[in-house]
Amino acid sequence: MVLWSKEQDKLPDIDMSSGAIEMKKEGDPLTPAFLNSVHPMILTKGCEDGSPGSGGEFELTEITSFSERNGETREDGDRSEIVVTMDCGDAKGEREEDALLENASQSNESDDTSHDRSPEPPAPLKETSFSIGLQVVFPFLLAGFGTVAAGMVLDIVQHWTVFTEVSEVFILVPALLGLKGNLEMTLASRLSTAANIGHMDTAKDMWKMIMGNLALIQVQATVVGFLASIAAVIFGWIPEGHFRLANAVLLCASSVATAFIASLLLGLIMIGVIIASRKVGINPDNVATPIAASLGDLITLSLLAGISTGLYKELEFNDYANPLVCAAFVAMCPLWVLIARKIPSTREVLYSGWEPVIIAMAISSVGGLILDKTVTNPNFAGMAVFTPVINGVGGNLVAVQASRISTYLHMNGIPMGDPNPAPRKCPTPCNTFFGSTVNSRSARVLFLLVAPGHLVFLYTINSLRGGHTTLTPIFITFYLVAALLQVMILLYLADWMVHWMWGRGMDPDNFSIPYLTALGDLLGTGFLALCFHMRWFIGDRDSDLGN
Protein backbone atom coordinates (compact mmCIF):
# COMPACT_ATOMS: atom_id res chain seq x y z
CA MET A 1 0.00 0.00 0.00
CA VAL A 2 1.41 3.41 -1.01
CA LEU A 3 0.71 6.63 0.85
CA TRP A 4 1.42 10.17 -0.35
CA SER A 5 0.45 13.70 0.63
CA LYS A 6 -0.59 16.70 -1.37
CA GLU A 7 -1.08 20.33 -0.43
CA GLN A 8 -4.77 20.59 -1.21
CA ASP A 9 -5.11 24.34 -1.24
CA LYS A 10 -2.30 24.61 -3.83
CA LEU A 11 -3.99 22.30 -6.28
CA PRO A 12 -5.47 23.82 -9.37
CA ASP A 13 -9.21 23.70 -9.75
CA ILE A 14 -10.31 20.39 -11.20
CA ASP A 15 -13.46 19.89 -13.12
CA MET A 16 -14.95 16.83 -11.48
CA SER A 17 -17.65 16.60 -14.10
CA SER A 18 -15.11 15.50 -16.66
CA GLY A 19 -14.42 12.39 -14.67
CA ALA A 20 -10.70 12.77 -15.29
CA ILE A 21 -9.40 10.93 -12.29
CA GLU A 22 -6.12 9.15 -12.68
CA MET A 23 -5.32 5.89 -10.96
CA LYS A 24 -1.85 4.85 -9.86
CA LYS A 25 -0.66 1.31 -9.70
CA GLU A 26 1.63 0.22 -6.90
CA GLY A 27 5.26 0.45 -7.93
CA ASP A 28 4.83 3.05 -10.68
CA PRO A 29 6.71 6.34 -10.31
CA LEU A 30 4.89 9.46 -9.15
CA THR A 31 4.76 11.80 -12.14
CA PRO A 32 4.06 15.52 -11.76
CA ALA A 33 1.05 15.20 -14.03
CA PHE A 34 -0.41 12.56 -11.79
CA LEU A 35 0.27 14.53 -8.61
CA ASN A 36 -1.42 17.60 -10.07
CA SER A 37 -4.45 15.60 -11.10
CA VAL A 38 -5.14 13.79 -7.90
CA HIS A 39 -8.34 14.81 -6.16
CA PRO A 40 -9.20 13.42 -2.73
CA MET A 41 -12.09 10.98 -2.94
CA ILE A 42 -13.66 7.93 -1.33
CA LEU A 43 -14.76 4.92 -3.33
CA THR A 44 -17.75 3.49 -1.53
CA LYS A 45 -17.88 0.32 -3.60
CA GLY A 46 -15.50 -2.50 -3.06
CA CYS A 47 -13.62 -4.14 -5.86
CA GLU A 48 -16.16 -6.88 -6.11
CA ASP A 49 -18.92 -4.29 -6.55
CA GLY A 50 -17.15 -2.13 -9.07
CA SER A 51 -18.18 -1.66 -12.63
CA PRO A 52 -16.95 -4.18 -15.18
CA GLY A 53 -15.05 -1.52 -16.95
CA SER A 54 -12.90 -0.73 -14.01
CA GLY A 55 -11.20 -4.04 -14.09
CA GLY A 56 -11.85 -4.60 -10.39
CA GLU A 57 -8.18 -4.45 -9.51
CA PHE A 58 -7.74 -1.41 -7.29
CA GLU A 59 -9.62 0.52 -4.67
CA LEU A 60 -9.05 4.19 -3.87
CA THR A 61 -10.05 5.68 -0.53
CA GLU A 62 -9.33 8.75 1.57
CA ILE A 63 -8.21 9.11 5.14
CA THR A 64 -8.49 12.33 7.10
CA SER A 65 -5.56 14.69 7.28
CA PHE A 66 -3.07 14.44 10.08
CA SER A 67 -3.76 18.03 11.00
CA GLU A 68 -7.44 17.34 11.48
CA ARG A 69 -6.77 14.22 13.50
CA ASN A 70 -4.51 16.08 15.84
CA GLY A 71 -6.96 18.96 16.08
CA GLU A 72 -4.31 21.35 14.76
CA THR A 73 -3.95 23.52 11.65
CA ARG A 74 -0.84 24.73 10.01
CA GLU A 75 0.10 28.38 10.26
CA ASP A 76 -0.12 28.82 6.49
CA GLY A 77 -3.51 27.13 6.37
CA ASP A 78 -2.24 24.21 4.24
CA ARG A 79 -3.80 20.83 4.80
CA SER A 80 -2.20 17.52 3.86
CA GLU A 81 -4.49 14.81 2.61
CA ILE A 82 -3.70 11.13 2.58
CA VAL A 83 -4.79 9.07 -0.39
CA VAL A 84 -4.50 5.32 -0.27
CA THR A 85 -4.30 2.99 -3.22
CA MET A 86 -4.47 -0.70 -2.46
CA ASP A 87 -4.65 -3.92 -4.28
CA CYS A 88 -8.06 -5.60 -4.20
CA GLY A 89 -6.51 -8.78 -2.97
CA ASP A 90 -5.56 -6.93 0.21
CA ALA A 91 -8.67 -4.72 0.31
CA LYS A 92 -10.81 -7.26 2.13
CA GLY A 93 -8.17 -7.75 4.80
CA GLU A 94 -7.55 -4.03 5.25
CA ARG A 95 -11.13 -2.69 4.87
CA GLU A 96 -11.84 -3.02 8.61
CA GLU A 97 -8.76 -0.92 9.43
CA ASP A 98 -9.78 1.76 6.93
CA ALA A 99 -13.32 1.82 8.27
CA LEU A 100 -12.03 2.37 11.79
CA LEU A 101 -9.85 5.25 10.57
CA GLU A 102 -12.75 6.76 8.67
CA ASN A 103 -15.02 6.48 11.71
CA ALA A 104 -12.36 8.14 13.85
CA SER A 105 -12.25 10.99 11.34
CA GLN A 106 -16.00 11.44 11.43
CA SER A 107 -16.08 11.38 15.24
CA ASN A 108 -13.27 13.94 15.47
CA GLU A 109 -15.01 16.25 13.01
CA SER A 110 -18.11 16.26 15.21
CA ASP A 111 -16.33 16.61 18.54
CA ASP A 112 -17.47 20.19 18.94
CA THR A 113 -21.11 19.11 18.85
CA SER A 114 -21.01 15.68 20.47
CA HIS A 115 -18.95 16.33 23.57
CA ASP A 116 -21.77 18.30 25.15
CA ARG A 117 -24.32 15.52 24.78
CA SER A 118 -25.09 13.47 27.85
CA PRO A 119 -24.96 9.69 27.43
CA GLU A 120 -28.23 8.07 26.57
CA PRO A 121 -29.82 6.23 29.51
CA PRO A 122 -30.25 2.48 29.29
CA ALA A 123 -33.44 1.16 27.80
CA PRO A 124 -36.34 0.74 30.26
CA LEU A 125 -36.98 -2.65 31.73
CA LYS A 126 -39.16 -4.67 29.40
CA GLU A 127 -41.53 -6.43 31.76
CA THR A 128 -45.12 -7.44 31.11
CA SER A 129 -47.79 -7.79 33.77
CA PHE A 130 -47.54 -11.56 33.43
CA SER A 131 -43.76 -11.62 33.91
CA ILE A 132 -44.01 -9.30 36.93
CA GLY A 133 -46.75 -11.42 38.48
CA LEU A 134 -44.91 -14.65 37.78
CA GLN A 135 -41.76 -13.41 39.51
CA VAL A 136 -43.60 -11.85 42.46
CA VAL A 137 -46.30 -14.41 43.26
CA PHE A 138 -44.09 -17.20 44.60
CA PRO A 139 -41.94 -15.00 46.87
CA PHE A 140 -45.17 -13.26 47.93
CA LEU A 141 -46.78 -16.55 48.96
CA LEU A 142 -43.58 -17.64 50.69
CA ALA A 143 -43.47 -14.35 52.59
CA GLY A 144 -47.15 -14.69 53.44
CA PHE A 145 -46.70 -18.14 54.91
CA GLY A 146 -43.80 -16.72 56.92
CA THR A 147 -46.11 -14.10 58.38
CA VAL A 148 -48.71 -16.79 59.08
CA ALA A 149 -46.06 -18.71 61.03
CA ALA A 150 -45.15 -15.52 62.89
CA GLY A 151 -48.83 -14.97 63.70
CA MET A 152 -49.13 -18.50 65.06
CA VAL A 153 -46.05 -17.90 67.22
CA LEU A 154 -47.46 -14.61 68.55
CA ASP A 155 -50.79 -16.30 69.24
CA ILE A 156 -48.96 -18.83 71.41
CA VAL A 157 -46.43 -16.61 73.18
CA GLN A 158 -48.99 -13.93 74.11
CA HIS A 159 -49.93 -16.22 77.01
CA TRP A 160 -46.33 -16.65 78.23
CA THR A 161 -45.40 -15.19 81.61
CA VAL A 162 -43.11 -12.48 80.26
CA PHE A 163 -45.86 -11.17 77.96
CA THR A 164 -48.49 -11.18 80.69
CA GLU A 165 -46.27 -9.74 83.44
CA VAL A 166 -44.40 -7.23 81.24
CA SER A 167 -47.04 -6.27 78.70
CA GLU A 168 -44.77 -3.59 77.21
CA VAL A 169 -43.12 -6.41 75.26
CA PHE A 170 -46.12 -6.20 72.91
CA ILE A 171 -45.08 -2.64 72.06
CA LEU A 172 -41.72 -4.01 70.93
CA VAL A 173 -43.33 -6.46 68.51
CA PRO A 174 -44.21 -4.08 65.61
CA ALA A 175 -41.04 -2.04 66.15
CA LEU A 176 -38.74 -5.08 65.99
CA LEU A 177 -40.74 -6.79 63.25
CA GLY A 178 -40.49 -3.47 61.43
CA LEU A 179 -36.71 -3.86 61.35
CA LYS A 180 -37.19 -5.96 58.24
CA GLY A 181 -38.50 -2.81 56.60
CA ASN A 182 -36.10 -0.42 58.29
CA LEU A 183 -32.98 -2.48 57.76
CA GLU A 184 -33.30 -5.76 55.88
CA MET A 185 -35.62 -4.55 53.12
CA THR A 186 -33.59 -1.38 52.79
CA LEU A 187 -30.46 -3.52 52.54
CA ALA A 188 -32.15 -5.71 49.93
CA SER A 189 -33.25 -2.66 47.94
CA ARG A 190 -29.75 -1.11 48.04
CA LEU A 191 -28.06 -4.32 46.95
CA SER A 192 -30.71 -5.01 44.28
CA THR A 193 -30.18 -1.58 42.77
CA ALA A 194 -26.40 -1.99 42.95
CA ALA A 195 -26.64 -5.38 41.25
CA ASN A 196 -28.95 -4.07 38.51
CA ILE A 197 -26.73 -1.12 37.63
CA GLY A 198 -23.52 -3.18 37.62
CA HIS A 199 -21.91 -2.22 40.93
CA MET A 200 -21.56 -5.85 42.02
CA ASP A 201 -20.25 -7.36 38.80
CA THR A 202 -16.71 -7.93 40.08
CA ALA A 203 -15.81 -9.96 43.16
CA LYS A 204 -13.94 -7.02 44.70
CA ASP A 205 -16.88 -4.64 44.38
CA MET A 206 -19.30 -7.30 45.59
CA TRP A 207 -17.36 -8.02 48.79
CA LYS A 208 -16.98 -4.32 49.53
CA MET A 209 -20.74 -3.87 49.25
CA ILE A 210 -21.40 -6.94 51.41
CA MET A 211 -19.03 -6.06 54.25
CA GLY A 212 -20.00 -2.39 54.34
CA ASN A 213 -23.73 -3.10 54.34
CA LEU A 214 -23.52 -5.84 56.98
CA ALA A 215 -21.58 -3.55 59.31
CA LEU A 216 -24.04 -0.74 58.64
CA ILE A 217 -27.14 -2.73 59.54
CA GLN A 218 -25.49 -4.00 62.75
CA VAL A 219 -24.97 -0.42 63.90
CA GLN A 220 -28.50 0.52 62.91
CA ALA A 221 -30.01 -2.57 64.54
CA THR A 222 -28.27 -1.91 67.86
CA VAL A 223 -29.31 1.75 67.95
CA VAL A 224 -32.88 1.08 66.77
CA GLY A 225 -33.29 -1.77 69.26
CA PHE A 226 -32.15 0.49 72.09
CA LEU A 227 -34.46 3.33 71.04
CA ALA A 228 -37.39 0.93 70.57
CA SER A 229 -37.01 -0.24 74.17
CA ILE A 230 -37.03 3.39 75.35
CA ALA A 231 -40.21 4.03 73.34
CA ALA A 232 -41.81 0.91 74.84
CA VAL A 233 -40.95 2.08 78.35
CA ILE A 234 -42.36 5.54 77.70
CA PHE A 235 -45.56 4.27 76.06
CA GLY A 236 -46.02 1.77 78.88
CA TRP A 237 -45.29 4.28 81.63
CA ILE A 238 -47.56 7.10 80.40
CA PRO A 239 -50.90 5.20 80.68
CA GLU A 240 -50.03 3.36 83.91
CA GLY A 241 -48.24 6.18 85.67
CA HIS A 242 -45.50 4.09 87.31
CA PHE A 243 -41.99 3.09 86.23
CA ARG A 244 -40.19 -0.20 86.94
CA LEU A 245 -36.43 -0.14 86.42
CA ALA A 246 -36.05 -3.92 86.24
CA ASN A 247 -38.66 -4.15 83.47
CA ALA A 248 -37.02 -1.27 81.61
CA VAL A 249 -33.62 -2.99 81.62
CA LEU A 250 -35.27 -6.26 80.58
CA LEU A 251 -36.91 -4.53 77.61
CA CYS A 252 -33.63 -2.90 76.63
CA ALA A 253 -31.60 -6.13 76.74
CA SER A 254 -34.26 -8.15 74.93
CA SER A 255 -34.73 -5.54 72.23
CA VAL A 256 -31.03 -4.93 71.51
CA ALA A 257 -30.12 -8.64 71.47
CA THR A 258 -33.08 -9.53 69.25
CA ALA A 259 -32.41 -6.71 66.79
CA PHE A 260 -28.71 -7.52 66.51
CA ILE A 261 -29.00 -11.28 66.00
CA ALA A 262 -32.03 -11.06 63.68
CA SER A 263 -30.39 -8.41 61.50
CA LEU A 264 -27.20 -10.44 61.16
CA LEU A 265 -29.04 -13.62 60.14
CA LEU A 266 -31.41 -11.86 57.75
CA GLY A 267 -28.61 -9.77 56.24
CA LEU A 268 -26.67 -12.91 55.33
CA ILE A 269 -29.80 -14.48 53.85
CA MET A 270 -30.50 -11.33 51.78
CA ILE A 271 -27.01 -11.28 50.34
CA GLY A 272 -27.30 -14.91 49.28
CA VAL A 273 -30.73 -14.33 47.68
CA ILE A 274 -29.54 -11.33 45.65
CA ILE A 275 -26.39 -13.07 44.39
CA ALA A 276 -28.39 -16.17 43.46
CA SER A 277 -31.05 -14.06 41.71
CA ARG A 278 -28.44 -12.40 39.51
CA LYS A 279 -26.93 -15.75 38.58
CA VAL A 280 -30.26 -17.24 37.46
CA GLY A 281 -31.41 -14.08 35.65
CA ILE A 282 -34.22 -12.98 38.01
CA ASN A 283 -34.74 -9.34 38.92
CA PRO A 284 -33.66 -9.15 42.61
CA ASP A 285 -36.21 -6.37 43.24
CA ASN A 286 -39.02 -8.89 42.75
CA VAL A 287 -37.77 -11.58 45.13
CA ALA A 288 -35.35 -10.12 47.69
CA THR A 289 -37.74 -8.05 49.78
CA PRO A 290 -40.51 -10.69 50.03
CA ILE A 291 -38.03 -13.35 51.08
CA ALA A 292 -36.61 -10.96 53.68
CA ALA A 293 -40.12 -10.59 55.05
CA SER A 294 -40.94 -14.29 54.88
CA LEU A 295 -38.19 -15.18 57.32
CA GLY A 296 -37.88 -11.82 59.06
CA ASP A 297 -41.11 -11.89 61.05
CA LEU A 298 -40.73 -15.51 62.14
CA ILE A 299 -37.06 -15.23 63.11
CA THR A 300 -37.47 -11.89 64.89
CA LEU A 301 -40.57 -12.86 66.84
CA SER A 302 -39.11 -16.23 67.86
CA LEU A 303 -35.90 -14.55 69.02
CA LEU A 304 -37.83 -11.89 70.96
CA ALA A 305 -39.98 -14.48 72.76
CA GLY A 306 -37.03 -16.74 73.57
CA ILE A 307 -34.58 -14.03 74.65
CA SER A 308 -37.11 -12.09 76.73
CA THR A 309 -38.28 -15.25 78.48
CA GLY A 310 -34.71 -16.30 79.28
CA LEU A 311 -33.74 -12.87 80.59
CA TYR A 312 -36.96 -12.63 82.60
CA LYS A 313 -36.16 -15.92 84.34
CA GLU A 314 -32.60 -14.72 84.92
CA LEU A 315 -33.93 -11.77 86.94
CA GLU A 316 -34.74 -14.14 89.78
CA PHE A 317 -31.08 -15.18 90.19
CA ASN A 318 -28.89 -12.40 88.74
CA ASP A 319 -29.64 -8.71 88.58
CA TYR A 320 -26.58 -7.98 86.43
CA ALA A 321 -27.37 -10.22 83.44
CA ASN A 322 -29.57 -7.75 81.61
CA PRO A 323 -27.22 -4.74 81.97
CA LEU A 324 -24.28 -6.86 80.82
CA VAL A 325 -26.16 -7.96 77.70
CA CYS A 326 -26.95 -4.34 76.84
CA ALA A 327 -23.36 -3.23 77.43
CA ALA A 328 -21.89 -6.05 75.34
CA PHE A 329 -23.89 -5.26 72.20
CA VAL A 330 -23.47 -1.50 72.54
CA ALA A 331 -19.68 -1.90 73.00
CA MET A 332 -19.41 -3.54 69.55
CA CYS A 333 -20.89 -0.52 67.77
CA PRO A 334 -17.55 1.31 67.23
CA LEU A 335 -16.19 -1.73 65.37
CA TRP A 336 -19.12 -1.77 62.96
CA VAL A 337 -18.83 1.99 62.49
CA LEU A 338 -15.16 1.68 61.47
CA ILE A 339 -15.98 -1.01 58.90
CA ALA A 340 -18.97 0.86 57.44
CA ARG A 341 -16.96 4.10 57.11
CA LYS A 342 -14.46 2.46 54.74
CA ILE A 343 -17.08 1.94 52.02
CA PRO A 344 -18.24 5.14 50.26
CA SER A 345 -21.80 3.93 49.64
CA THR A 346 -22.38 2.93 53.26
CA ARG A 347 -20.47 5.90 54.69
CA GLU A 348 -23.15 8.24 53.37
CA VAL A 349 -25.96 6.14 54.86
CA LEU A 350 -24.05 5.89 58.15
CA TYR A 351 -24.14 9.67 58.48
CA SER A 352 -27.46 10.54 56.88
CA GLY A 353 -29.61 7.42 57.08
CA TRP A 354 -30.75 7.67 60.69
CA GLU A 355 -33.74 9.93 60.28
CA PRO A 356 -35.99 7.48 58.38
CA VAL A 357 -35.00 4.53 60.57
CA ILE A 358 -35.70 6.32 63.85
CA ILE A 359 -38.94 7.95 62.67
CA ALA A 360 -40.12 4.61 61.26
CA MET A 361 -39.39 2.96 64.61
CA ALA A 362 -41.49 5.59 66.37
CA ILE A 363 -44.38 5.07 63.93
CA SER A 364 -44.23 1.30 64.41
CA SER A 365 -44.18 1.77 68.18
CA VAL A 366 -47.50 3.61 67.96
CA GLY A 367 -48.86 0.54 66.19
CA GLY A 368 -47.38 -1.53 69.01
CA LEU A 369 -49.25 0.56 71.56
CA ILE A 370 -52.50 -0.18 69.69
CA LEU A 371 -51.63 -3.88 69.68
CA ASP A 372 -50.81 -3.82 73.41
CA LYS A 373 -54.11 -2.20 74.36
CA THR A 374 -56.15 -4.44 72.05
CA VAL A 375 -54.59 -7.86 72.65
CA THR A 376 -54.63 -7.45 76.44
CA ASN A 377 -58.41 -7.10 76.21
CA PRO A 378 -59.78 -10.67 76.47
CA ASN A 379 -62.53 -9.86 73.95
CA PHE A 380 -59.95 -9.09 71.23
CA ALA A 381 -57.25 -11.66 71.95
CA GLY A 382 -57.88 -13.24 68.55
CA MET A 383 -56.28 -10.21 66.90
CA ALA A 384 -52.75 -11.41 67.72
CA VAL A 385 -52.59 -14.12 65.07
CA PHE A 386 -53.70 -11.79 62.25
CA THR A 387 -51.51 -8.79 63.10
CA PRO A 388 -48.22 -10.09 61.59
CA VAL A 389 -50.12 -11.29 58.51
CA ILE A 390 -51.85 -8.04 57.56
CA ASN A 391 -48.81 -5.94 58.46
CA GLY A 392 -46.41 -8.27 56.70
CA VAL A 393 -48.36 -8.55 53.45
CA GLY A 394 -48.79 -4.79 53.17
CA GLY A 395 -45.14 -4.13 53.96
CA ASN A 396 -43.94 -6.79 51.50
CA LEU A 397 -45.94 -5.45 48.58
CA VAL A 398 -45.10 -1.79 49.11
CA ALA A 399 -41.42 -2.64 49.57
CA VAL A 400 -41.40 -4.42 46.21
CA GLN A 401 -43.04 -1.42 44.53
CA ALA A 402 -40.72 1.12 46.16
CA SER A 403 -37.66 -0.92 45.24
CA ARG A 404 -38.84 -1.23 41.63
CA ILE A 405 -39.54 2.50 41.27
CA SER A 406 -36.16 3.33 42.80
CA THR A 407 -34.34 1.01 40.40
CA TYR A 408 -36.30 2.48 37.49
CA LEU A 409 -35.23 6.01 38.45
CA HIS A 410 -31.60 4.97 38.89
CA MET A 411 -31.58 3.43 35.42
CA ASN A 412 -33.81 5.81 33.49
CA GLY A 413 -34.60 8.91 35.52
CA ILE A 414 -33.18 12.40 35.58
CA PRO A 415 -30.11 12.93 37.80
CA MET A 416 -30.95 12.69 41.47
CA GLY A 417 -31.58 16.11 42.96
CA ASP A 418 -31.51 17.86 39.57
CA PRO A 419 -31.74 21.60 40.35
CA ASN A 420 -34.06 22.15 37.39
CA PRO A 421 -36.18 19.02 37.19
CA ALA A 422 -39.27 18.83 35.08
CA PRO A 423 -42.19 19.73 37.34
CA ARG A 424 -44.07 16.64 38.44
CA LYS A 425 -47.51 17.03 39.85
CA CYS A 426 -48.67 14.94 42.77
CA PRO A 427 -49.85 11.66 41.22
CA THR A 428 -53.51 10.80 41.30
CA PRO A 429 -54.72 7.30 42.14
CA CYS A 430 -55.69 6.90 38.48
CA ASN A 431 -52.12 7.62 37.36
CA THR A 432 -50.71 5.29 39.99
CA PHE A 433 -52.90 2.30 39.20
CA PHE A 434 -54.15 2.85 35.63
CA GLY A 435 -51.19 4.50 33.89
CA SER A 436 -49.30 2.97 30.98
CA THR A 437 -45.86 2.90 32.65
CA VAL A 438 -44.19 -0.23 33.97
CA ASN A 439 -44.58 1.09 37.53
CA SER A 440 -48.36 1.44 37.12
CA ARG A 441 -48.43 -2.06 35.68
CA SER A 442 -46.60 -3.46 38.69
CA ALA A 443 -48.91 -1.53 41.07
CA ARG A 444 -51.94 -3.21 39.47
CA VAL A 445 -50.33 -6.63 39.73
CA LEU A 446 -49.39 -6.17 43.38
CA PHE A 447 -52.84 -4.85 44.31
CA LEU A 448 -54.55 -7.79 42.62
CA LEU A 449 -52.49 -10.18 44.73
CA VAL A 450 -53.91 -8.86 48.02
CA ALA A 451 -57.35 -10.52 48.17
CA PRO A 452 -56.37 -13.99 46.85
CA GLY A 453 -53.27 -14.01 49.04
CA HIS A 454 -55.14 -13.12 52.22
CA LEU A 455 -57.80 -15.73 51.51
CA VAL A 456 -55.08 -18.35 51.26
CA PHE A 457 -53.48 -17.16 54.48
CA LEU A 458 -56.79 -17.03 56.36
CA TYR A 459 -57.59 -20.57 55.24
CA THR A 460 -54.15 -21.70 56.41
CA ILE A 461 -54.65 -20.14 59.85
CA ASN A 462 -58.08 -21.71 60.14
CA SER A 463 -56.74 -25.12 59.09
CA LEU A 464 -54.02 -24.90 61.72
CA ARG A 465 -56.66 -23.92 64.31
CA GLY A 466 -54.79 -20.74 65.08
CA GLY A 467 -56.28 -17.76 66.87
CA HIS A 468 -59.44 -17.38 68.85
CA THR A 469 -61.72 -16.17 66.07
CA THR A 470 -64.08 -18.10 63.81
CA LEU A 471 -63.81 -17.04 60.15
CA THR A 472 -67.37 -15.89 59.56
CA PRO A 473 -68.36 -14.17 56.28
CA ILE A 474 -68.71 -10.85 58.10
CA PHE A 475 -65.21 -11.09 59.58
CA ILE A 476 -63.67 -12.11 56.24
CA THR A 477 -65.40 -9.17 54.53
CA PHE A 478 -64.19 -6.66 57.11
CA TYR A 479 -60.70 -8.17 57.04
CA LEU A 480 -60.37 -8.03 53.22
CA VAL A 481 -61.67 -4.45 53.11
CA ALA A 482 -59.08 -3.45 55.71
CA ALA A 483 -56.27 -5.22 53.81
CA LEU A 484 -57.23 -3.77 50.41
CA LEU A 485 -57.53 -0.26 51.81
CA GLN A 486 -54.15 -0.59 53.53
CA VAL A 487 -52.31 -1.73 50.37
CA MET A 488 -54.05 0.83 48.16
CA ILE A 489 -52.92 3.67 50.42
CA LEU A 490 -49.38 2.28 50.65
CA LEU A 491 -48.92 1.83 46.88
CA TYR A 492 -50.18 5.35 46.23
CA LEU A 493 -47.86 6.77 48.90
CA ALA A 494 -44.95 4.80 47.42
CA ASP A 495 -45.51 6.36 43.99
CA TRP A 496 -45.52 9.85 45.45
CA MET A 497 -42.83 9.41 48.10
CA VAL A 498 -40.15 7.77 45.95
CA HIS A 499 -40.39 10.43 43.23
CA TRP A 500 -40.52 13.21 45.82
CA MET A 501 -37.39 11.96 47.55
CA TRP A 502 -35.61 11.44 44.24
CA GLY A 503 -36.29 15.02 43.20
CA ARG A 504 -34.73 16.27 46.44
CA GLY A 505 -31.53 14.26 46.19
CA MET A 506 -32.47 11.57 48.72
CA ASP A 507 -31.83 7.98 47.65
CA PRO A 508 -35.23 6.21 47.87
CA ASP A 509 -33.49 2.90 48.62
CA ASN A 510 -32.38 4.33 51.96
CA PHE A 511 -35.28 6.61 52.85
CA SER A 512 -38.59 5.41 51.40
CA ILE A 513 -38.96 1.79 52.54
CA PRO A 514 -38.60 2.46 56.31
CA TYR A 515 -41.37 5.06 56.17
CA LEU A 516 -43.64 2.92 54.00
CA THR A 517 -43.32 -0.29 56.01
CA ALA A 518 -43.78 1.60 59.28
CA LEU A 519 -46.93 3.20 57.88
CA GLY A 520 -47.99 -0.29 56.81
CA ASP A 521 -47.63 -1.50 60.40
CA LEU A 522 -49.60 1.44 61.74
CA LEU A 523 -52.37 1.21 59.12
CA GLY A 524 -52.58 -2.57 59.34
CA THR A 525 -52.77 -2.67 63.14
CA GLY A 526 -55.23 0.24 63.26
CA PHE A 527 -57.52 -1.15 60.56
CA LEU A 528 -57.43 -4.62 62.11
CA ALA A 529 -58.31 -3.27 65.56
CA LEU A 530 -61.16 -1.29 63.98
CA CYS A 531 -62.28 -4.44 62.20
CA PHE A 532 -62.47 -6.37 65.49
CA HIS A 533 -64.29 -3.53 67.28
CA MET A 534 -66.88 -3.18 64.50
CA ARG A 535 -67.39 -6.92 64.46
CA TRP A 536 -67.92 -6.88 68.21
CA PHE A 537 -70.39 -4.01 68.05
CA ILE A 538 -72.61 -5.59 65.37
CA GLY A 539 -72.82 -8.78 67.43
CA ASP A 540 -70.75 -11.14 65.25
CA ARG A 541 -69.18 -12.95 68.21
CA ASP A 542 -67.92 -16.48 68.79
CA SER A 543 -68.27 -18.73 71.74
CA ASP A 544 -64.47 -19.15 71.65
CA LEU A 545 -63.66 -15.47 71.17
CA GLY A 546 -60.98 -14.55 73.68
CA ASN A 547 -60.78 -18.13 74.95
Side-chain angles (χ1 to χ4, degrees), residues 112-127:
D112 56 329
T113 59
S114 63
H115 73 281
D116 292 330
R117 298 176 185 173
S118 59
E120 295 182 0
L125 298 174
K126 301 295 183 182
E127 291 182 297

Side-chain angles (χ1 to χ4, degrees), residues 239-266:
E240 297 180 3
H242 60 274
F243 175 78
R244 297 177 182 175
L245 181 60
N247 290 352
V249 177
L250 170 65
L251 289 173
C252 180
S254 302
S255 180
V256 171
T258 300
F260 183 94
I261 299 173
S263 295
L264 179 61
L265 294 176
L266 292 172

Side-chain angles (χ1 to χ4, degrees), residues 33 65 96-97 105 138 146 151 256 275-276 292 297 333 360 396 404-405 423 429 438 465 521 526 546:
S65 66
E96 293 182 0
E97 177 183 351
S105 171
F138 296 108
V256 171
I275 294 175
D297 287 347
C333 282
N396 298 345
R404 289 178 59 88
I405 298 175
V438 65
R465 299 184 182 276
D521 292 341

Side-chain angles (χ1 to χ4, degrees), residues 42 62-71 95-112 114:
I42 299 176
E62 177 190 26
I63 305 175
T64 186
S65 66
F66 290 121
S67 62
E68 285 182 350
R69 180 170 304 171
N70 294 327
R95 186 173 292 124
E96 293 182 0
E97 177 183 351
D98 296 339
L100 292 174
L101 292 172
E102 182 180 347
N103 289 336
S105 171
Q106 294 175 355
S107 64
N108 286 327
E109 290 174 359
S110 61
D111 277 347
D112 56 329
S114 63

Side-chain angles (χ1 to χ4, degrees), residues 434-490:
F434 302 104
S436 58
T437 64
V438 65
N439 294 325
S440 297
R441 195 179 306 130
S442 62
R444 291 193 295 269
V445 172
L446 296 175
F447 182 75
L448 291 176
L449 289 175
V450 176
H454 273 296
L455 289 175
V456 172
F457 304 145
L458 289 176
Y459 176 77
T460 304
I461 292 173
N462 188 61
S463 299
L464 297 175
R465 299 184 182 276
H468 308 281
T469 303
T470 303
L471 299 183
T472 63
I474 295 177
F475 172 76
I476 294 175
T477 301
F478 282 156
Y479 181 87
L480 291 181
V481 170
L484 290 170
L485 186 59
Q486 175 208 30
V487 173
M488 181 184 297
I489 294 173
L490 291 176

Side-chain angles (χ1 to χ4, degrees), residues 401-402 404-410 412-418 421-427 431-432 437-440 491-509 512 516:
Q401 180 71 352
R404 289 178 59 88
I405 298 175
S406 178
T407 299
Y408 180 86
L409 291 176
H410 275 92
N412 304 279
I414 60 175
M416 188 187 306
D418 193 326
R424 185 179 190 271
K425 297 180 180 179
C426 183
N431 292 334
T432 300
T437 64
V438 65
N439 294 325
S440 297
L491 292 177
Y492 173 73
L493 289 176
D495 188 22
W496 167 78
M497 185 179 294
V498 172
H499 286 93
W500 182 84
M501 290 180 172
W502 180 270
R504 280 151 182 80
M506 297 184 290
D507 190 349
D509 285 330
S512 64
L516 292 170

Side-chain angles (χ1 to χ4, degrees), residues 303-327:
L303 286 172
L304 176 61
I307 292 174
S308 61
T309 299
L311 293 177
Y312 181 76
K313 292 179 179 179
E314 192 67 22
L315 282 176
E316 300 177 2
F317 309 101
N318 189 352
D319 294 335
Y320 300 100
N322 291 332
L324 286 176
V325 170
C326 291

Side-chain angles (χ1 to χ4, degrees), residues 22-45:
E22 293 188 26
M23 305 291 293
K24 176 188 176 300
K25 293 184 179 181
E26 185 174 357
D28 290 349
L30 298 175
T31 64
F34 178 79
L35 290 174
N36 291 330
S37 66
V38 173
H39 187 82
M41 64 178 295
I42 299 176
L43 292 181
T44 58
K45 294 183 179 180

